[in-house]
Amino acid sequence: MSIARFSPFELLLLKSRSQVDTATLLLLGWVLVHRQHVSEGQRRRRLAQVTSQFRHGHELGPVMSIAHSQDLHAIQLAAEVVRKECSKERSLSVMHQAITVATDDGDISLANHYILRFLADLLNVTPTTLGTLFQELTGQPLRQPEDPSRDAYWQAHDPDYYARKAREEAEAAQRAKASQAEQEQQQRAKADKQQEKKQKQQEKKQQKEDARRAKARAEQSSAEQARAEQARQEQARQERARQEQARQEESRRRQQRSSPPPPDRTTRALAVLGLTPGASKTDVRRAYRRMAQLHHPDRFYSESEHQVALASARFQRIKNAYDYLMQTY
């Protein structure tokens, strides 16, 4: 069975010793990647510390990679696993851990404001319960997150925002004015060059006409000579083609006389199953069962897509040989 249709997180779940622990890892990793002023090494050490008792049995690297990719399908699947397989107390425990890793430095990022509410909704934790749990863990109420689309947000977090924006607009207007002046100058210079070019073209036109008439007379004479030469070359080419065709035909006849006859289909089918001519029908059945067990594509499901494709091709050849032999014996 091919594994290409499974996502990276689904593959982790299939290999995990505890799918609930793996799902919880992803949810906590998602919170950690939105911690501000924290290095990747610190994130992984913190995740390992919080989940030291988990029984997932795999590395943290793949989980953090999925968390960094912001794969919401994987996040929703992880929350569904936790919600389906865990009790309400375990869901609250997951929210407890998420709040803990989101507020380690005493502050919570704007992204994690929304993520905690999103996780609470996925895990069927009410907003009231989330607020109570946040108050108990941090000693502060869970306030509504700030809205970056409002002017008040930028006035509080970036006082120079409007001044910088005004300077950028003034600079952009100045650049546009300078660009327009430069374009007008270029257009005037282009018009002058076009006028000068037109005059020169008129002067050259008469010269070209005189040269064209002389050239036409010379070309007519050379064309007649070229046609005669082309006729001779065509005749020689046809003769070479006939000679080459005769050589190829003779070569094919020699090859047909010297090449050995192809092996019959029964011999080829027996060879696919590792048998020699004279094998019985029982030998064919035994060889097929042995070869099918060794080369069935399901044995290579954990290999690459290329390996699975090769195994499928081998198995199909074995099956075709077996079917043919069972029909002809």
Side-chain angles (χ1 to χ4, degrees):
M1 182 182 297
S2 174
I3 62 174
R5 57 188 171 193
F6 293 111
S7 68
F9 182 63
E10 289 172 335
L11 291 176
L12 275 180
L13 288 177
L14 290 174
K15 298 176 182 179
S16 174
R17 297 176 184 172
S18 172
Q19 292 189 350
V20 174
D21 287 347
T22 297
T24 305
L25 269 178
L26 179 58
L27 297 180
L28 298 179
W30 190 39
V31 174
L32 278 169
V33 298
H34 288 89
R35 284 275 306 277
Q36 297 176 345
H37 313 300
V38 178
S39 68
E40 184 62 20
Q42 291 173 323
R43 292 190 181 102
R44 295 197 182 192
R45 286 192 295 273
R46 184 64 177 118
L47 184 60
Q49 179 185 9
V50 173
T51 62
S52 60
Q53 302 300 320
F54 281 17
R55 298 177 293 105
H56 47 82
H58 53 73
E59 298 293 333
L60 298 182
V63 175
M64 292 301 294
S65 297
I66 297 171
H68 276 290
S69 69
Q70 308 294 324
D71 187 349
L72 288 183
H73 291 292
I75 299 297
Q76 290 176 330
L77 177 58
E80 182 65 26
V81 170
V82 174
R83 181 171 57 187
K84 183 178 179 181
E85 302 295 335
C86 296
S87 62
K88 181 178 180 181
E89 288 74 15
R90 179 63 188 272
S91 297
L92 289 175
S93 175
V94 173
M95 287 305 306
H96 181 287
Q97 292 172 313
I99 294 170
T100 299
V101 298
T103 59
D104 278 339
D105 56 359
D107 197 6
I108 181 171
S109 66
L110 179 61
N112 276 333
H113 264 291
Y114 291 102
I115 288 174
L116 290 180
R117 287 173 169 79
F118 183 61
L119 288 180
D121 183 60
L122 290 177
L123 298 175
N124 288 333
V125 176
T126 65
T128 303
T129 304
L130 174 63
T132 301
L133 188 59
F134 189 90
Q135 176 79 34
E136 292 175 353
L137 292 174
T138 64
Q140 298 178 357
L142 179 61
R143 298 184 177 86
Q144 288 296 324
E146 297 178 275
D147 187 355
S149 65
R150 301 183 60 186
D151 289 344
Y153 176 87
W154 295 103
Q155 290 175 359
H157 292 274
D158 190 0
D160 295 332
Y161 172 76
Y162 290 103
R164 185 170 63 253
K165 187 174 181 181
R167 288 195 301 270
E168 292 174 353
E169 291 176 352
E171 292 172 357
Q174 186 176 359
R175 287 195 297 270
K177 185 176 180 180
S179 176
Q180 183 178 1
E182 183 179 358
Q183 289 178 358
E184 291 176 353
Q185 183 178 0
Q186 290 176 350
Q187 289 175 355
R188 287 193 296 270
K190 184 177 180 180
D192 294 340
K193 289 182 179 179
Q194 288 177 346
Q195 182 64 27
E196 182 180 356
K197 183 178 180 181
K198 185 176 180 180
Q199 292 176 354
K200 291 181 178 179
Q201 287 176 346
Q202 290 176 349
E203 293 174 357
K204 291 180 179 179
K205 185 176 181 180
Q206 186 61 39
Q207 297 176 357
K208 288 182 178 180
E209 181 64 22
D210 296 339
R212 185 189 65 79
R213 292 193 184 96
K215 184 178 180 181
R217 290 191 294 269
E219 287 178 349
Q220 183 177 2
S221 176
S222 62
E224 293 176 355
Q225 298 176 358
R227 284 195 293 271
E229 178 64 23
Q230 184 177 5
R232 288 193 296 272
Q233 293 178 355
E234 179 64 20
Q235 184 178 2
R237 186 190 65 79
Q238 292 177 355
E239 180 61 26
R240 290 194 298 272
R242 286 193 294 271
Q243 293 175 357
E244 179 64 23
Q245 184 177 3
R247 286 195 297 270
Q248 291 178 355
E249 183 64 27
E250 179 62 24
S251 176
R252 282 196 296 270
R253 287 196 293 270
R254 285 197 296 267
Q255 289 178 357
Q256 290 174 356
R257 289 194 296 269
S258 61
S259 60
D264 63 89
R265 186 175 178 183
T266 301
T267 302
R268 293 197 303 270
L270 288 170
V272 170
L273 296 178
L275 300 174
T276 58
S280 66
K281 198 171 186 179
T282 301
D283 295 335
V284 171
R285 289 195 185 96
R286 291 175 179 173
Y288 170 70
R289 287 196 293 270
R290 183 178 67 257
M291 297 291 284
Q293 290 176 355
L294 289 175
H295 299 285
H296 198 280
D298 286 350
R299 291 174 57 87
F300 300 86
Y301 77 95
S302 62
E303 301 293 336
S304 65
E305 291 185 23
H306 179 67
Q307 293 296 331
V308 173
L310 290 178
S312 298
R314 289 195 299 270
F315 181 77
Q316 188 59 47
R317 289 197 298 272
I318 294 168
K319 182 69 168 59
N320 292 340
Y322 173 74
D323 292 339
Y324 171 74
L325 291 173
M326 296 308 291
Q327 291 174 2
T328 57
Y329 263 58

